[in-house]
Amino acid sequence: MRHGLSVPCFGTGLDAARVAVWARAAEDAGWDGFFLWDHLFAFADGPVDVVDPFIALTAAACATTTIRLGTLVTPLPRRRPLVVARQTVTLDRLSGGRLVLGVGSGAGPFEWEFVGEEPDPATRGDMLDEHLDLLARLWSGEPVRHEGRFYRVAGPDWAGLCHPPPLQQPRIPVWVGGTWPGTRPFTRAACWDGVVPMRVDGSWSVADTAAVVARMRDLGAGAEAPFEVAVPGESDPRDDRRATTFAEHAGAGATWWVEAIHPWRYGDPERGEWNLDAMQGRIEAGP
């Protein structure tokens, strides 16, 4: 099982330069992946600094050489497929083929209906499915014609050609996020390269990992290609049991442990406490 970090794209004092420092520290400390959230606003009263994850990951790519980089997760329905294709291919090639694209349909009214985006979650799910199918075709480096319900790449005697293709083949890995024990996100994930489950009603357990692995197996995930199961968690480097915890999740079928490095572990953002130094300390402590 590999070990990654999940880091917010917001926080007082956070900028792309600090993200690059953290990514380099993560690589030096032995982490295998560095993943940024993708949000437009902070989850606290402002003013709070927010970075664009793709620009910040570009800085991280320039500061590192081996660690996997990506978003967990990008709500694709509020991003245009052609723009995402250009951003992801550019970043994948810049990083030497280290990009992972985590995706989801998104939640929270302040990033949807409050800013004029699609308010209906089911419709966003439909948009996500069409977006992913189109994105995979755009990554092919071949001409694409598409006239769908939500997106279009077509004109009279014209098809869109996004060149060059990503460095990774057959495509940049796509991991699909979803709240467990939902249905649609996990059915979607089985069609791609990995699943990123989460809970909103408590901490993640080994039983949850085993249940997700069984669900994905029943849906046929991994039958023809390797499939990643990236489970969430928080560990304390002073805890002698953490190696046992990792082993239990790996034994249940997890392929990634994604450590949550967020400010709520080290302060109270609602009161203006953004302890980025403590977050960096956990990164530097390693898995």
Side-chain angles (χ1 to χ4, degrees):
M1 185 173 70
R2 287 175 285 182
H3 297 79
L5 299 167
S6 171
V7 182
C9 62
F10 53 79
T12 299
L14 184 67
D15 58 16
R18 186 184 288 264
V19 169
V21 169
W22 283 359
R24 181 53 190 257
E27 184 173 274
D28 291 344
W31 297 96
D32 302 296
F34 183 88
F35 306 109
L36 275 182
W37 300 5
D38 186 344
H39 290 287
L40 300 174
F41 302 100
F43 295 171
D45 292 338
V48 177
D49 304 318
V50 181
V51 298
D52 178 88
F54 287 101
I55 293 176
L57 288 171
T58 298
C62 292
T64 58
T65 58
T66 60
I67 197 169
R68 277 271 176 187
L69 303 168
T71 54
L72 287 184
V73 296
T74 289
L76 282 187
R78 63 170 166 78
R79 291 183 178 264
R80 302 299 299 178
L82 282 164
V83 176
V84 173
R86 292 300 192 195
Q87 289 172 323
T88 53
V89 168
T90 300
L91 185 49
D92 188 59
R93 298 182 75 89
L94 175 66
S95 67
R98 293 186 281 134
L99 183 64
V100 172
L101 180 63
V103 302
S105 58
F110 55 88
E111 295 193 334
W112 299 96
E113 53 260 48
F114 292 178
V115 292
E117 298 287 354
E118 174 55 52
D120 179 56
T123 302
R124 293 202 299 265
D126 294 340
M127 294 173 72
L128 174 56
D129 288 330
E130 184 179 334
H131 195 307
L132 282 172
D133 289 340
L134 176 55
L135 184 59
R137 294 170 62 200
L138 294 170
W139 282 340
S140 71
E142 299 294 330
V144 172
R145 286 186 59 86
H146 178 85
E147 297 181 74
R149 178 181 170 193
F150 303 105
Y151 307 109
R152 177 186 178 93
V153 182
D157 301 318
W158 181 86
L161 174 59
C162 288
H163 193 80
L167 196 59
Q168 296 181 87
Q169 292 296 320
R171 63 173 175 248
I172 294 167
V174 174
W175 298 358
V176 178
T179 301
W180 182 256
T183 300
R184 191 175 182 186
F186 298 91
T187 302
R188 178 181 299 118
C191 301
W192 297 94
D193 308 298
V195 65
V196 187
M198 61 195 78
R199 295 201 76 106
V200 295
D201 58 353
S203 59
W204 192 259
S205 70
V206 175
D208 290 327
T209 295
V212 168
V213 170
R215 170 83 65 85
M216 303 317 298
R217 186 182 300 117
D218 289 344
L219 291 168
E224 299 180 1
F227 187 83
E228 305 289 0
V229 178
V231 301
E234 297 179 11
S235 64
D236 187 334
R238 299 166 297 182
D239 183 1
D240 293 336
R241 274 192 46 83
R242 73 183 186 283
T244 300
T245 299
F246 295 155
E248 289 172 346
H249 283 278
T255 63
W256 280 82
W257 171 276
V258 181
E259 182 85 15
I261 306 293
H262 56 72
W264 289 270
R265 289 181 66 174
Y266 306 104
D268 184 359
E270 296 298 332
R271 298 173 58 185
E273 298 173 3
W274 296 85
N275 196 337
L276 302 189
D277 290 339
M279 293 168 64
Q280 182 168 334
R282 179 65 191 93
I283 293 170
E284 292 173 344

